[in-house]
Amino acid sequence: MENDELKESRRDSPQGDLGTAPYGNFRCYYSFNPAEARLALIPQNLLYQLFPETTTSLAILDVGCNSGGFAVAFYQHVCTCSSPVHLLGLDLDPWLISQARSTNSHPQNIRYEQTDITDPIHRDAVLQDFLGSLGREPGPLDLSLCLSVTMWIHLHHGDAGLKAFLAWLSANSRWILVEPQPWRCYRAAGRRLRRLGQAEPPALAGMLGRPRARCDVKAFLCEECGMRFVKSFGDTTWGRPMLLFGRNTRQEGEEDQDEG
Ligand SMILES: C[S@@+](CC[C@H](N)C(=O)[O-])C[C@H]1O[C@@H](n2cnc3c(N)ncnc32)[C@H](O)[C@@H]1O
């Protein structure tokens, strides 16, 4: 058991000293979790598969975009579909957003804003401004990416905060690609912060004693948020699944996909 936990801890902290990063706001995240490893799981024609009929701009949100390494790589990976793609990356860490802006190789198509996604007023204003800049009325985004972020929201805002975020994301997205962190990551995050002499995230202690009561991202999206699980693109090299969800109302041109 102890060995397993040590192994998990190393796998989740492969680089050793990650800084404190209490919100997962690691400053060199993409040096130890390269975007390419995850993109290898995602088909290049993903947007064509999801929006076969669309000719207008597609609006994509990247929640917790860190320094933009995945956002740019994802944009380049999928932007060959016929419609123009516009991506909004949000992160609560101002330093990471400034890094993302200064290295943005596609400023016409990718935009970054410092936003706490759990702050309803700010996030909605930023989102409406983004959609307005594309000439779109308020309404759902075409696709939202939520990669390795759910645990941090969960740890800092508890079950209620994670559920409120997932409900908001579902109400505002036609499709969601989520990479939830499994439970072993929670323990590793708690251990890492304790090792660094940092306070444990507020909700962690409450979750330790009641594993069955914890919010399960996949179940909550499907049972409470009107989403349906479409497919898993497989596990990343860190053993985290990449899960695609779609709104329950069938989209135009959408075909049945692997529900397994
Ligand atoms: C582990 S990193 C994942 C980065 C990126 N999504 C990826 O997978 O490549 C988690 C990111 O989520 C951000 N984050 C955590 N809580 C957030 C919140 N409430 N609002 C916005 N960003 C948040 C952190 O600052 C950090 O950059």
Side-chain angles (χ1 to χ4, degrees), residues 132-152:
S133 73
L134 304 181
R136 285 173 55 155
E137 297 295 322
L141 295 145
D142 296 305
L143 170 66
S144 292
L145 311 177
C146 181
L147 309 181
S148 289
V149 180
T150 51
M151 174 182 80
W152 298 107

Side-chain angles (χ1 to χ4, degrees), residues 155 183 200-210:
L155 286 176
W183 177 242
E200 206 168 70
L204 183 58
M207 289 178 202
L208 288 171
R210 48 184 191 99

Side-chain angles (χ1 to χ4, degrees), residues 229-250:
F229 173 58
V230 177
K231 69 183 292 177
S232 169
F233 288 120
D235 285 1
T236 67
T237 48
W238 285 8
R240 299 179 190 175
M242 301 270 281
L243 308 175
L244 180 68
F245 295 85
R247 294 270 280 260
N248 257 336
T249 44
R250 207 152 277 265

Side-chain angles (χ1 to χ4, degrees), residues 23-26 29-30 33 38 62-67 70 90-93 96 115-118 146-149 152-153 157 179 181 240:
Y23 293 89
N25 45 337
F26 305 110
Y29 191 63
Y30 296 106
N33 191 8
R38 286 182 286 171
D62 184 10
V63 176
C65 63
N66 197 270
S67 58
F70 188 85
L90 303 182
D91 203 286
L92 53 61
D93 185 315
L96 291 171
T115 309
D116 181 343
I117 200 70
T118 63
C146 181
L147 309 181
S148 289
V149 180
W152 298 107
I153 294 174
H157 301 278
E179 181 193 26
Q181 289 105 325
R240 299 179 190 175

